[in-house]
Amino acid sequence: MTCTIFYTTAMPNDRAQVSGTAPRKPMRWAVEYLIKTPDGRTLVESTKTIQRATFEELRAIMDHIIGAIGDEAGNIASFVSWRATARGGRSKRRARR
């Protein structure tokens, strides 16, 4: 099972794109994010692992992380995007015939 969530400020209706199946239990998420400022500076961070979180909790966690980074940069980001991926879980074994 793999679930990937992609969010960017350029998307309409402030909605994230989700591919795969959302995990039912809290999972560890590998996160990459990109922040651009009007003066052309770009901050890219990848492979940040967030402690176990549910699908619903992830958005609040990422809003907090992006907000903290924005405070350091002076809240002047012109573009923000992030991608989170959770992998793992158990698959049901199928009986052989």
Side-chain angles (χ1 to χ4, degrees):
M1 179 234 22
T2 299
C3 179
T4 301
I5 303 167
F6 178 72
Y7 174 81
T8 179
T9 54
M11 285 186 182
N13 301 329
D14 202 31
R15 300 180 112 196
Q17 287 181 334
V18 179
S19 62
T21 304
R24 291 185 218 147
K25 296 182 180 180
M27 300 284 293
R28 285 175 130 352
W29 295 87
V31 177
E32 304 170 345
Y33 55 85
L34 172 95
I35 300 172
K36 292 184 180 179
T37 59
D39 62 357
R41 291 186 298 151
T42 302
L43 171 66
V44 178
E45 182 71 33
S46 62
T47 65
K48 183 170 183 76
T49 303
I50 295 176
Q51 294 299 321
R52 294 180 185 270
T54 64
F55 181 77
E56 292 80 19
E57 293 170 336
L58 181 66
R59 176 73 185 263
I61 292 168
M62 286 307 299
D63 285 345
H64 177 71
I65 290 171
I66 298 297
I69 293 168
D71 290 342
E72 291 178 20
N75 291 321
I76 55 171
S78 59
F79 177 81
V80 175
S81 71
W82 58 266
R83 177 184 317 271
T85 305
R87 291 188 177 106
R90 295 184 177 205
S91 61
K92 296 180 182 177
R93 291 187 178 197
R94 297 184 181 180
R96 293 185 183 188
R97 294 181 183 194

